[in-house]
Amino acid sequence: MMPVRRDLRFNLPPERACDWHAQGSHVTHFFNALSLLFPAGERFFMDSVRHYRDDIDDPVLKKQVLGFIGQEAMHTREHVEYNDLLQQAGLPAHKLDKRLWAILNFGRKVLPHSYQLAVTVCLEHYTAMLAGLLLEDATRIDGSVQGYAQMWTWHALEETEHKSVSYDVWNAVLKPGLGRYLLRTGVMLATTITFWLIVFDYHVRLIIADRKRGGHVRGMWRVLKYLYGPRHGVFPRIAGEWLSFFRPGFHPWDHDNRAQLARIDGLVAAVDAANAAAPNTRRSARRGMQAAA
Ligand SMILES: [Fe+2]
Ligand SMILES: [Fe+2]
């Protein structure tokens, strides 16, 4: 699987930043909280893999690393703009983004490179699980505002496309054995707690900042169902895949969902068509700005 860097732009109506999801603002803010994690988080991923780039001999894996870095860089660019829309909508997006940069910069300083790579492997497993769920279960995002849904679907497809890259680097550069297994699984336990605490914290802060919108009883019920519902909830649906990470012979492609990737070309065409039909996209706004300057 070779990750391909795709330079896409999305038409994100700013006035829908707080309620673009079909299930209302409270579920929207769950995704928005995740979006706030990407600029700092993806930079951390790229750097932790870059530390080991010279230790990789396999030419195919070297190329996959380049594709991985190219994709994450595009995701970050788009999520920075998305997060700016959240800030403009009155949410503390920049403050929460800065807070994560501080946390991860501290990690960069104190953690050995192998730990940093382990954190990336674990969080890439998280993005792969959440992305897989988004792609496999239409109820996750269907009926939402088109540009936002397209952006999340694009991100989910590319996370799937590169889901094994950091793990393959891990296997290639660290000495096999019990130490490597314990580091990977121990970091998974620590990462799981930290990741969900931060997501929960950010999610609550966004809901509080947007509290004037109201509808809290129904909104919270929808969030609970979305995250914990026994049939479709995020946590029940990813539990098995999360556990599989603890098998000594685990590999991200054990969960073989590559069939989903057939959707990429159609999505790219749909994004292009949407941009052509809506001349007020950020891309043309930026072109206009460049022309003026
Ligand atoms: Fe990404
Ligand atoms: Fe990723």
Side-chain angles (χ1 to χ4, degrees), residues 56-132:
I56 302 166
D57 300 320
D58 178 2
V60 175
L61 185 54
K62 267 183 193 288
K63 264 182 134 176
Q64 287 170 324
V65 165
L66 284 178
F68 162 77
I69 289 174
Q71 288 190 333
E72 297 294 31
M74 286 295 106
H75 302 166
T76 289
R77 184 190 72 187
E78 291 307 295
H79 279 278
V80 164
E81 293 199 7
Y82 177 135
N83 296 345
D84 286 345
L85 298 181
L86 302 180
Q87 182 73 26
Q88 284 162 27
L91 303 173
H94 291 165
K95 193 174 96 185
L96 296 177
D97 168 65
K98 276 204 193 100
R99 192 170 295 176
L100 188 66
W101 278 100
I103 295 170
L104 292 177
N105 282 339
F106 179 74
R108 259 182 250 266
K109 254 189 228 152
V110 300
L111 296 175
H113 286 171
S114 56
Y115 279 63
Q116 295 184 35
L117 185 59
V119 169
T120 294
V121 166
C122 295
L123 286 172
E124 281 285 289
H125 188 49
Y126 263 108
T127 56
M129 291 190 289
L130 296 172

Side-chain angles (χ1 to χ4, degrees), residues 38 71 75 79 127-128 130-136 141 149-163 257 260-261 263-264 267:
F38 288 122
Q71 288 190 333
H75 302 166
H79 279 278
T127 56
L130 296 172
L133 184 58
L134 188 94
L135 297 173
E136 278 154 37
I141 202 155
Q150 285 175 334
M151 179 176 171
W152 282 101
T153 306
W154 161 71
H155 198 163
L157 284 164
E158 294 198 344
E159 285 304 322
T160 303
E161 204 171 35
H162 73 229
K163 71 175 176 175
N257 59 347
Q260 293 293 339
L261 298 178
R263 290 161 59 178
I264 291 183
L267 177 74

Side-chain angles (χ1 to χ4, degrees), residues 56 61 64 121 163-173 251-253:
I56 302 166
L61 185 54
Q64 287 170 324
V121 166
K163 71 175 176 175
S164 77
V165 175
S166 66
Y167 191 78
D168 291 336
V169 170
W170 171 263
N171 274 344
V173 300
H251 189 271
W253 283 112

Side-chain angles (χ1 to χ4, degrees), residues 17-19 23-34 36 86 89-93 96 198-224 226-228:
C18 293
D19 71 338
Q23 296 185 42
S25 67
H26 295 68
V27 172
T28 297
H29 285 318
F30 171 70
F31 282 87
N32 290 348
L34 292 178
L36 292 177
L86 302 180
L91 303 173
L96 296 177
I198 292 176
V199 172
F200 181 77
D201 179 51
Y202 281 26
H203 189 186
V204 169
R205 284 172 199 276
L206 294 183
I207 290 172
I208 291 173
D210 193 32
R211 61 189 173 278
K212 284 209 189 92
R213 196 174 297 273
H216 295 301
V217 173
R218 194 172 68 163
M220 293 315 289
W221 173 247
R222 281 173 161 176
V223 166
L224 286 176
Y226 195 88
L227 295 179
Y228 303 102

